[in-house]
Amino acid sequence: MINQEIIKRKNIVLLTDSDWHLRIIQFIVGILMLALYLWIGVGILNLMSNLPHIFKNGWANVVEHIIIDVVLVLAVLELIRILQSYLAVGRVKVTFILDVALVVLIGELIGLWYKAYTLIEVGLHIAVIAVLTLLRIVSIRFSPDAID
């Protein structure tokens, strides 16, 4: 009787089965990575298509958009790095999330240079970037992976 119960249990796929769960997560993360790669490709094509407009609209106007687009592409590359670490390690490292947030906020700060901004907006951006930088330092210093 016990052997028959064991045979019956082997044929059942449970929602908590780690192999099934792992395969679904890998599939979803793979789709997300493909979407991000396509987004990067479109972003690079957009950057290249803006280059001829330098002669028409003036160099400074187009460079503003190019700089912001490059920073966004870097943020997407950081997102891919997060997904790759999740697949390799099985968890997301806080430092990678902080890296993405820092890249995006620095891009926003660069974007403020080309817009009308107040001192409070710039100060707020710099304060948040400073706090995130400190959090990144602390997360590296007290990481469970840190070797003393």
Side-chain angles (χ1 to χ4, degrees), residues 56-71:
K56 295 178 188 174
N57 300 336
W59 185 81
N61 186 26
V62 176
V63 169
E64 166 191 345
H65 295 291
I66 290 175
I67 289 171
I68 293 170
D69 288 346
V70 166
V71 172

Side-chain angles (χ1 to χ4, degrees), residues 31-45 76 80:
I31 290 173
L32 286 173
M33 287 176 69
L34 284 175
L36 290 173
Y37 285 130
L38 288 173
W39 193 8
I40 289 173
V42 170
I44 291 171
L45 289 176
V76 174
I80 290 173

Side-chain angles (χ1 to χ4, degrees), residues 5 14-16 31 33 37 43 46 59 61 63 75 77 85 92 98-99 112 128 144 148:
E5 285 182 34
L14 299 175
L15 288 176
T16 57
I31 290 173
M33 287 176 69
Y37 285 130
N46 186 24
W59 185 81
N61 186 26
V63 169
L77 286 172
S85 87
V92 176
L98 291 171
D99 288 344
L112 284 179
V128 171
D148 293 320

Side-chain angles (χ1 to χ4, degrees), residues 129-146:
I129 289 170
V131 168
L132 288 175
T133 303
L134 288 173
L135 283 173
R136 189 176 191 289
I137 292 168
V138 168
S139 70
I140 290 172
R141 174 68 176 101
F142 297 107
S143 171
D145 297 335

